[in-house]
Amino acid sequence: MGQNLILNAADHGFTVVAFNRTVSKVDHFIENEAKGKSIIGAKSIHDLCEKLKSPRRVMLLVKAGPAVDDFIAALLPFLSPGDIIIDGGNSHFPDTNRRTRYLAEKKIRFVGAGVSGGEEGARYGPSLMPGGNEEAWPFIKDIFQSIAAKSDDEPCCDWVGDEGAGHFVKMVHNGIEYGDMQLICEAYDIMKRGLGLSNSEIGDVFTKWNTGVLDSFLIEITRDIMKYNDPDDGTPLVEKILDSAGQKGTGKWTAINALDLGMPVTLIGESVFARCLSSLKSERIRASSVLEGPEIPAFTGDKEAAIADLEQALYASKIISYAQGFMLIREAAKEYKWKLNNPAIALMWRGGCIIRSVFLADITKAYRAKPDLENLLFDDFFKTAIHEAQAGWRRAVVKGIEFGIPTPCFSTALSFYDGYRTKNLPANLLQAQRDYFGAHTFRVKPEYASATLVEDKDIHINWTGRGGNVSASTYLA
């Protein structure tokens, strides 16, 4: 990825100094892929810094964690006040917060930049999400916006916010990516096991979906995967792949942060748990022989109608996932005192990145019309879209239940939607239970306030006559 970013920058007229700890790799790169381009090799970190113009702009693409700190420590003796270090890895945003503050004390400007798009994106236009010390932005803006992907001639890159804001937005991007992938897998599972479609037929469905509201990079590659056959025997390769999913942690970070901030980002959480469940392969094999469920009958209904319902379920669930993601971004801005630009974030994700889709153009439009939009579901476009998709969405979830095919993300998206649109949830009973067993108090609905049940006051009731009148803690929703 680093090599491709270097080539990308050189193609856009910038002179780049390349360094790798394994110097032979640098030599090979200079003599081959970089030959004839404005790329200079460096033999050491000192040599790298000597060859860079002031203010030096050093971008690291190394594994997140201690390796980033180690490289920063190695760079510092050769840097001057005002120089810029950019971390382009998948660092956890609290680490970027810490590094920004630490390096500011040393008069070094630090940038934590989310980079998405994989190797191809890095070479021809990634999505870039920079945050950190804003003083660095004027010195890297032209470079970043030149090498970034373009959507409607606008660069998929803008300044995100202070400290770890860039890496936070990249973290949420990756969480949404987890959700999108799991939703696609659930649609595939229902089509294959429930509707009895062949891999080629499923590929045809994804081909069609990629021409409509679901047009996206992930739908596109799923189409290709479903059509790919093993050259050795001509059978679908995807069926030979072990159904135990891996992960690198960014989805988990998103779910944990959502819990920390009290945001119901349920779809991303379920997508992480789905991967965890998939990894229990040996247990699932044993369970499959002893735990009963419905036998999936040969499907005799209207397949085209069922496929249309799945398309609506996938579209509606994606709307919920992105709504939840932006809810988390909104709450993080409050918690960490970041000034985040929601329209710019949506634009950054429209091209170059893994979750790029035509769908994000509608999100960009919604936030440009109302930057302080409380929730995507309050935007007229998305409200109408989810209303129109709702019937098919519900039928698809019911089909999964009837078949005994798990749809954790379709289901949790629908449950969130039904909960979000419900004026009165059963949390009143939950609060009564908490007060009964732990004297944790509750608050009364305004319409039922009285002299004994005072509005906006933490109240404890002696439910049995045997308890005391001292409450254990204040009310927490």
Side-chain angles (χ1 to χ4, degrees), residues 186 317 393 397 401 406-416:
E186 291 174 20
S317 298
W393 186 16
V397 170
I401 294 169
T407 57
C409 284
F410 282 156
S411 301
T412 197
L414 183 56
S415 291
F416 170 85

Side-chain angles (χ1 to χ4, degrees), residues 198-210:
S198 68
N199 284 60
S200 180
E201 288 172 327
I202 295 171
D204 291 339
V205 171
F206 283 110
T207 298
K208 181 180 178 183
W209 285 358
N210 203 47

Side-chain angles (χ1 to χ4, degrees), residues 32 39 270 445:
N32 292 275
I39 300 171
E270 281 295 341
K445 292 178 179 178

Side-chain angles (χ1 to χ4, degrees), residues 11 33 50 59 95 101 105 107 135 157 183 219 244 290 299 352 356 373 408 427 449 454 475:
D11 286 348
E33 294 90 349
E50 282 289 306
M59 187 165 184
D95 290 335
R101 296 167 193 158
E105 293 174 357
K107 301 188 185 311
E135 292 177 4
C157 171
L183 288 168
I219 294 290
S244 180
V290 298
F299 187 78
R356 61 185 182 268
L373 181 66
V454 181
Y475 172 94

Side-chain angles (χ1 to χ4, degrees), residues 214 250 255 345:
L214 294 176
T250 45
I345 292 169

Side-chain angles (χ1 to χ4, degrees), residues 233 277 292 297 299 404:
D233 60 15
L277 180 60
E292 295 181 356
F299 187 78

